[in-house]
Amino acid sequence: MKTNPGNFFEDFRLGQLIRHATPRTVTAGDQSLYTALYGSRFAVQSSDAFAKAIGYPAAPVDDLLTFHIVFGKTVPDISLNAVANLGYAECRFLAPVYPGDTLSTVSEVIGLKENSNGKTGTVYVRSVGSNQRGDEVLSFVRWVMVRKRDEAAPPPETVVPELAKRVEPAGLGQACPMLDPAAWDSGLSGSPYLFGDFAAGEKIDHVDGMTVEEAEHQLATRLYQNTAKVHFNQHSESQGRFGRRLIYGGHVISLARALSFNGLANAFHIAAINGGRHVAPLFAGGTVYAWSEILETAELPGRSDVGALRILTRATRDLPCTDFPVADGTPDTPGVILELDYWALMVR
Amino acid sequence: MKTNPGNFFEDFRLGQLIRHATPRTVTAGDQSLYTALYGSRFAVQSSDAFAKAIGYPAAPVDDLLTFHIVFGKTVPDISLNAVANLGYAECRFLAPVYPGDTLSTVSEVIGLKENSNGKTGTVYVRSVGSNQRGDEVLSFVRWVMVRKRDEAAPPPETVVPELAKRVEPAGLGQACPMLDPAAWDSGLSGSPYLFGDFAAGEKIDHVDGMTVEEAEHQLATRLYQNTAKVHFNQHSESQGRFGRRLIYGGHVISLARALSFNGLANAFHIAAINGGRHVAPLFAGGTVYAWSEILETAELPGRSDVGALRILTRATRDLPCTDFPVADGTPDTPGVILELDYWALMVR
Amino acid sequence: MKTNPGNFFEDFRLGQLIRHATPRTVTAGDQSLYTALYGSRFAVQSSDAFAKAIGYPAAPVDDLLTFHIVFGKTVPDISLNAVANLGYAECRFLAPVYPGDTLSTVSEVIGLKENSNGKTGTVYVRSVGSNQRGDEVLSFVRWVMVRKRDEAAPPPETVVPELAKRVEPAGLGQACPMLDPAAWDSGLSGSPYLFGDFAAGEKIDHVDGMTVEEAEHQLATRLYQNTAKVHFNQHSESQGRFGRRLIYGGHVISLARALSFNGLANAFHIAAINGGRHVAPLFAGGTVYAWSEILETAELPGRSDVGALRILTRATRDLPCTDFPVADGTPDTPGVILELDYWALMVR
């Protein structure tokens, strides 16, 4: 059979390296679409002039555009037969990505654990995105529950990798060149609040809401060349678990990040994602709101230009975040749909 | 509070200068999206080869793309708490914008008038968009009705600026380099009718209609980084005045301009907008038609290459323009939704 | 009248040359939108690095993007008053198109045949797309049934061109530079199956399905500056034959081609389209599936680097292709909507 059936649980081997198709040159066109899809307004990614003034050679593309493109490539090999995306960890941005860079992705199987039902298992992979010069631009671990093709296939040795609860501050900042904080123009960036103005425990309601249409999440997910069937096929999904197309979880992450501009306008760069959980699904017609909690602030070794905020952003569905809602554990309750724990950089 | 509450009427001061976030590098990707959103077919903006042949260094982006981007930046500071966008005037295009240019916007408060109800007031601002070299590319006045935060706040001294009913012909053409009319290829531009073929009083039905989808106007308005809540949030708008998302008025302007190609294909450049009025709202599912009336023709001092047509374009909703409908004053009547009075250039 | 009424049957003359508006510079933004609209994943068009490694100077744009842009220009002159698009033939890709190239189109009337009802006639045109250097990039014949303006107009002499059932292998490959097959990386391209692995008679179900939204096909068709009214105007179409907007047939072709990646990942270039038939219409909300049959394999004279597969791809509506459905002749049956007979190149 010449079509791709995807890998089943018993197809994965510990230590296996998987080179993913399709390499992708990121362009100004992708960045324009990203802006149109989410309304992102961070000045560094929006303006060559702003980026150059502070020390970038040009405006880098949005960090999450890089994430989605690197991630999208892994879908046909890792999660085509996935029952669930269980989590992310140790996601680090390692080099800036500029229009013209070509990204490709390699994954390594770093853990395997068959479930006691004998029908599924959890696969842990570390996926690394690199540019055309071989520089790593992004590295992250994700784990997914994958079906077995043959329930009689013997289980592999169980290996569950130890994953960091959070990326250490010393591991942050590689994708951010040394900046000139004096050149940071808070008028243009949209907020006077810089690194020193934030403290652990602070909560910020991002106020605005964004309703998602089917055409929007489909355009986005195809832009990332993510082929997961549940996002695109109403004919089959009408018979499926939800009766409708499920929106790519990364679309929700990007919406929450774009909404967070209102309150975190100077958090210009995502340096790392410590963990992420899609608490409940999102469907077209839903309106996404978001709020954030500052979990930690950290200085970066050897860097006096920028500091890091560890932020827990929660996105909700049809629920304004004035009261800072948290996941209540009942997935059918309209409410929190995303919890994203990440490090963002701000100038000091 | 670190989020932007927007400015209320009493926050504005006469003569106040407001530098707006976010600077934005315009790219070929933005122009592609603009084409996909409206189907614009003017040859100068569509083709580098055509533009170079007549005297541009490259194809400039659509004038209204520039307008929307410069305008979008003003929303968080000027009209976040607006009850209504009341009008535009003295809008002049001052320099061409090419992919790679970075636009930013500064507004000056030029008028203030509290309403007799003591709850709202009208704010007049002149907004100027500039490129990365500091050249002004666009200047326009708009006035909006803004809520007061505190009804007890004392009214400011009333100042209502005198605004020109129309931009003088001598003020037109700065954004158009000196052209070679002999190089204008009417076969490629789509029409044999040049400046001399139009006369005041002439009416043109643009024939075609375009139905708008929610995803389309949301993509457009986010592309312009316009953050007005009414365009994006069905969850809150379902409880609002219309029960649904309101389409950005600029989207209607761009649709009408694109439709006007059929009849005005050689009106390649918008030199100025004399005034604009959104007579009635547009919602997704509505079909936009348009017709134009030539109000004046004018020669430009010192320019033998191009002349200016003053055009009044009316857009309608679900109403073909065969009979040249005009606004009848009842906003609930499906009918005229836009009246736009502008100057366009044509080669002579 | 300054608007374009389109040409009616009696306006066409045998041998007539029609230069079409609007020239169009193709950009990276167009390619990004193409990817977002269809999810295309062919490595050559996706990655500058991949394309350069095998012998292209850069990644060319998708062949069908070129087709749609060249085709779109012909609509206002050829098919604005068309009752039906009857067929395509002898479509050959003659030179690669890169971002920055400007395309324009000229058509020649090569056949005319009035129908016996005296109300309509068939017009055959050969349309040639060229770039800014005058190099032909695409040539194809299509024939459309066009209304007469005046039924009393005398019929022209009947001339029906003889059209090739298929493009000869010797006529393939001009748009593909000489490649280095050893540099073809099957890991990155997404499939190990190369030219030698396919044989005539082979059938491939492309498995995946894609649901189409109104906003998507409208964005696409406007991107191509195709002005056919039936795609955009719900207000008029609600009174029309189908009661709704008809999706541009080329949108279906692009969806089928993108779906065919799953099974034909190495069929990197469309060298020619032998014929195409839109068996039934597609409307928004429909889900497109596809399957392909290999009709022939052919070596190309003088080329040891690539060979050609002649492929018959069928697209369906709301019908998975597991059982390889063929058109059953009843247009109202949900089922096959497209039959496309084309030549694709693969490295040997």
Side-chain angles (χ1 to χ4, degrees):
Chain A
M1 193 164 73
K2 293 199 168 79
T3 50
N4 173 27
N7 287 308
F8 290 85
F9 181 67
E10 63 265 43
D11 298 325
F12 293 98
R13 298 277 171 272
L14 198 71
Q16 182 184 1
L17 285 175
I18 302 172
R19 295 174 71 231
H20 304 292
T22 299
R24 174 82 151 79
T25 302
V26 184
T27 70
D30 300 321
Q31 180 61 36
S32 289
L33 268 161
Y34 192 87
T35 303
L37 287 161
Y38 307 111
S40 190
R41 289 185 286 147
F42 295 95
V44 170
Q45 288 78 19
S46 182
S47 166
D48 281 329
F50 190 97
K52 286 176 183 173
I54 60 170
Y56 283 89
V61 303
D62 263 87
D63 301 306
L64 292 172
L65 175 57
T66 299
F67 177 84
H68 297 321
I69 288 176
V70 169
F71 179 98
K73 296 181 195 325
T74 69
V75 169
D77 299 314
I78 305 297
S79 51
L80 210 60
N81 299 304
V83 184
N85 280 290
L86 298 174
Y88 313 95
E90 298 185 5
C91 172
R92 294 168 58 208
F93 290 84
L94 302 170
V97 175
Y98 300 101
D101 284 350
T102 298
L103 303 181
S104 48
T105 309
V106 174
S107 295
E108 180 181 0
V109 178
I110 62 168
L112 290 169
K113 181 175 184 301
E114 184 164 308
N115 287 329
S116 53
N117 63 13
K119 297 180 180 176
T120 56
T122 301
V123 179
Y124 296 80
V125 294
R126 185 180 303 277
S127 299
V128 176
S130 301
N131 65 21
Q132 69 282 7
R133 291 179 300 276
D135 305 330
E136 298 187 355
V137 300
L138 178 66
S139 170
F140 63 97
V141 173
R142 70 166 172 141
W143 53 107
V144 293
M145 194 189 301
V146 179
R147 272 194 295 275
K148 294 179 72 174
R149 182 191 292 106
D150 172 11
E151 294 186 18
E157 188 191 354
T158 293
V159 174
V160 175
E162 254 186 88
L163 298 169
K165 286 274 180 291
R166 79 197 232 295
V167 175
E168 292 296 318
L172 303 175
Q174 291 94 325
C176 178
M178 200 64 65
L179 302 184
D180 174 8
W184 188 272
D185 183 329
S186 292
L188 292 179
S189 73
S191 167
Y193 303 105
L194 297 173
F195 180 66
D197 299 310
F198 291 85
E202 187 168 357
K203 295 177 178 183
I204 301 165
D205 172 16
H206 301 305
V207 182
D208 307 307
M210 189 71 75
T211 305
V212 182
E213 300 294 321
E214 299 281 13
E216 293 169 357
H217 75 85
Q218 293 199 146
L219 286 168
T221 309
R222 283 185 300 239
L223 183 68
Y224 314 139
Q225 298 176 313
N226 177 328
T227 60
K229 298 161 198 281
V230 291
H231 307 317
F232 302 114
N233 187 330
Q234 183 56 32
H235 181 253
S236 62
E237 291 311 306
S238 68
Q239 307 298 319
R241 183 171 153 210
F242 300 113
R244 45 197 311 205
R245 283 162 279 177
L246 182 67
I247 293 175
Y248 165 49
H251 197 71
V252 178
I253 294 177
S254 279
L255 283 168
R257 166 75 174 157
L259 291 169
S260 80
F261 180 88
N262 195 351
L264 291 168
N266 288 326
F268 69 95
H269 168 52
I270 298 181
I273 298 175
N274 299 305
R277 203 160 68 91
H278 297 292
V279 181
L282 179 69
F283 305 102
T287 299
V288 174
Y289 295 88
W291 70 277
S292 293
E293 183 176 355
I294 308 300
L295 298 182
E296 292 183 59
T297 66
E299 302 195 355
L300 302 186
R303 308 258 329 222
S304 58
D305 55 339
V306 293
L309 299 183
R310 185 176 165 203
I311 301 167
L312 176 58
T313 294
R314 289 174 172 100
T316 62
R317 183 179 65 196
D318 297 337
L319 181 67
C321 291
T322 329
D323 299 329
F324 306 119
V326 296
D328 66 2
T330 59
D332 292 326
T333 309
V336 178
I337 57 175
L338 170 73
E339 292 187 333
L340 186 76
D341 176 345
Y342 71 104
W343 285 108
L345 300 194
M346 273 197 193
V347 295
R348 297 171 63 173
Chain B
M1 193 164 72
K2 295 199 169 75
T3 50
N4 173 28
N7 287 308
F8 290 85
F9 181 67
E10 63 266 41
D11 298 325
F12 293 98
R13 298 277 170 272
L14 198 69
Q16 182 183 359
L17 284 176
I18 304 171
R19 294 175 71 231
H20 306 290
T22 299
R24 174 83 151 77
T25 302
V26 185
T27 70
D30 299 321
Q31 180 60 36
S32 289
L33 268 161
Y34 191 87
T35 302
L37 287 162
Y38 307 111
S40 190
R41 289 184 287 147
F42 294 95
V44 168
Q45 288 78 21
S46 182
S47 166
D48 281 328
F50 190 97
K52 286 176 183 172
I54 60 170
Y56 282 89
V61 303
D62 263 86
D63 301 306
L64 292 172
L65 175 58
T66 299
F67 178 84
H68 298 320
I69 289 177
V70 169
F71 179 98
K73 298 182 195 323
T74 69
V75 170
D77 300 313
I78 306 298
S79 52
L80 211 59
N81 300 304
V83 183
N85 279 290
L86 299 173
Y88 313 95
E90 298 185 5
C91 172
R92 293 168 58 209
F93 290 83
L94 301 169
V97 175
Y98 300 102
D101 284 350
T102 298
L103 303 181
S104 48
T105 309
V106 173
S107 295
E108 180 182 359
V109 179
I110 61 168
L112 290 168
K113 181 176 186 300
E114 184 163 307
N115 287 327
S116 53
N117 63 13
K119 297 180 180 175
T120 55
T122 301
V123 180
Y124 297 79
V125 294
R126 185 181 303 278
S127 299
V128 176
S130 302
N131 66 21
Q132 69 282 6
R133 290 179 300 275
D135 304 330
E136 298 186 357
V137 300
L138 177 67
S139 171
F140 64 96
V141 173
R142 70 167 172 140
W143 52 108
V144 293
M145 192 188 303
V146 178
R147 272 192 295 274
K148 293 179 71 173
R149 184 192 291 106
D150 172 11
E151 294 186 18
E157 188 191 355
T158 293
V159 174
V160 174
E162 253 186 89
L163 297 170
K165 286 275 179 291
R166 80 196 229 297
V167 176
E168 292 296 317
L172 304 175
Q174 292 93 325
C176 178
M178 199 64 65
L179 302 184
D180 174 8
W184 187 271
D185 184 330
S186 292
L188 292 179
S189 72
S191 167
Y193 303 105
L194 297 173
F195 179 68
D197 299 310
F198 292 85
E202 186 169 358
K203 295 178 176 183
I204 302 165
D205 171 16
H206 301 305
V207 180
D208 307 306
M210 189 71 75
T211 305
V212 182
E213 300 294 322
E214 299 281 14
E216 293 169 358
H217 76 84
Q218 295 199 145
L219 286 168
T221 309
R222 285 186 299 238
L223 183 70
Y224 314 140
Q225 298 175 315
N226 178 327
T227 60
K229 299 161 198 280
V230 291
H231 308 317
F232 302 114
N233 187 330
Q234 182 56 34
H235 181 253
S236 63
E237 292 310 306
S238 68
Q239 307 298 317
R241 182 172 155 210
F242 300 113
R244 44 197 312 204
R245 283 163 279 176
L246 182 67
I247 293 175
Y248 164 50
H251 198 70
V252 178
I253 294 176
S254 278
L255 282 168
R257 165 75 175 156
L259 291 170
S260 79
F261 180 87
N262 195 353
L264 291 168
N266 287 326
F268 69 95
H269 167 52
I270 298 181
I273 297 174
N274 300 304
R277 204 161 66 91
H278 296 290
V279 181
L282 179 69
F283 305 103
T287 299
V288 175
Y289 295 87
W291 71 277
S292 293
E293 184 175 354
I294 308 300
L295 299 182
E296 290 183 62
T297 65
E299 301 195 357
L300 271 50
R303 305 246 349 208
S304 57
D305 55 340
V306 293
L309 299 183
R310 186 176 166 205
I311 301 167
L312 176 58
T313 294
R314 290 176 171 100
T316 62
R317 181 179 66 195
D318 298 337
L319 181 67
C321 291
T322 328
D323 300 329
F324 306 119
V326 297
D328 65 1
T330 58
D332 292 326
T333 309
V336 177
I337 58 176
L338 169 75
E339 293 187 333
L340 186 77
D341 176 345
Y342 72 103
W343 285 109
L345 300 194
M346 272 197 195
V347 295
R348 297 169 65 172
Chain C
M1 192 164 70
K2 293 200 169 76
T3 48
N4 173 28
N7 287 308
F8 290 85
F9 182 66
E10 62 266 41
D11 297 325
F12 293 98
R13 297 278 170 271
L14 198 70
Q16 182 183 0
L17 285 175
I18 303 172
R19 294 175 71 231
H20 305 291
T22 299
R24 173 83 151 78
T25 302
V26 185
T27 70
D30 299 320
Q31 181 60 36
S32 289
L33 268 161
Y34 192 88
T35 302
L37 287 162
Y38 307 110
S40 190
R41 289 184 286 147
F42 295 96
V44 168
Q45 288 78 21
S46 182
S47 165
D48 280 330
F50 190 96
K52 286 176 182 169
I54 59 169
Y56 282 89
V61 303
D62 264 86
D63 301 306
L64 292 172
L65 175 57
T66 299
F67 177 84
H68 297 322
I69 289 176
V70 170
F71 179 99
K73 297 181 195 323
T74 69
V75 170
D77 299 313
I78 305 297
S79 52
L80 211 59
N81 299 305
V83 184
N85 279 290
L86 297 174
Y88 313 95
E90 298 186 4
C91 173
R92 293 167 59 207
F93 290 84
L94 301 170
V97 175
Y98 300 102
D101 284 349
T102 298
L103 302 182
S104 49
T105 309
V106 174
S107 296
E108 180 182 358
V109 179
I110 60 167
L112 290 169
K113 182 176 185 301
E114 185 165 308
N115 287 328
S116 52
N117 63 14
K119 298 180 178 174
T120 56
T122 300
V123 179
Y124 297 79
V125 293
R126 184 180 303 279
S127 299
V128 175
S130 301
N131 66 21
Q132 70 282 5
R133 290 180 300 276
D135 305 329
E136 299 187 355
V137 300
L138 177 67
S139 171
F140 65 96
V141 173
R142 70 167 172 140
W143 53 107
V144 294
M145 193 189 301
V146 179
R147 273 192 295 274
K148 293 178 74 173
R149 184 191 290 108
D150 172 11
E151 294 187 17
E157 189 192 354
T158 293
V159 174
V160 174
E162 253 186 87
L163 297 170
K165 286 273 181 292
R166 79 199 231 295
V167 175
E168 292 294 317
L172 303 175
Q174 290 93 325
C176 178
M178 200 64 65
L179 302 184
D180 175 7
W184 188 272
D185 184 329
S186 293
L188 292 179
S189 73
S191 166
Y193 303 105
L194 297 173
F195 179 66
D197 298 311
F198 291 84
E202 187 168 356
K203 296 177 176 182
I204 301 166
D205 171 17
H206 301 305
V207 180
D208 306 307
M210 189 71 74
T211 304
V212 181
E213 300 294 322
E214 299 281 14
E216 294 169 356
H217 75 85
Q218 293 199 146
L219 287 167
T221 309
R222 283 186 299 240
L223 183 69
Y224 314 140
Q225 298 175 313
N226 177 329
T227 60
K229 299 161 198 280
V230 291
H231 308 317
F232 301 115
N233 186 328
Q234 182 57 33
H235 181 252
S236 62
E237 292 309 307
S238 69
Q239 307 298 320
R241 181 170 155 211
F242 300 113
R244 46 197 310 204
R245 284 163 278 177
L246 182 67
I247 294 175
Y248 165 49
H251 198 70
V252 178
I253 294 176
S254 278
L255 283 168
R257 164 75 175 158
L259 291 170
S260 79
F261 180 87
N262 194 351
L264 291 168
N266 288 326
F268 69 95
H269 168 51
I270 298 181
I273 298 175
N274 299 303
R277 203 160 67 92
H278 296 292
V279 181
L282 180 70
F283 305 103
T287 299
V288 175
Y289 295 87
W291 71 277
S292 293
E293 183 175 354
I294 308 301
L295 298 182
E296 291 182 60
T297 65
E299 301 194 358
L300 270 50
R303 306 256 332 220
S304 58
D305 56 338
V306 293
L309 299 182
R310 185 175 165 205
I311 301 168
L312 176 59
T313 294
R314 290 175 170 99
T316 62
R317 182 179 67 196
D318 297 338
L319 180 67
C321 292
T322 328
D323 299 328
F324 306 119
V326 296
D328 66 2
T330 61
D332 292 325
T333 309
V336 177
I337 57 177
L338 170 74
E339 292 188 332
L340 186 77
D341 176 345
Y342 72 103
W343 285 107
L345 301 193
M346 273 197 192
V347 294
R348 296 171 64 174

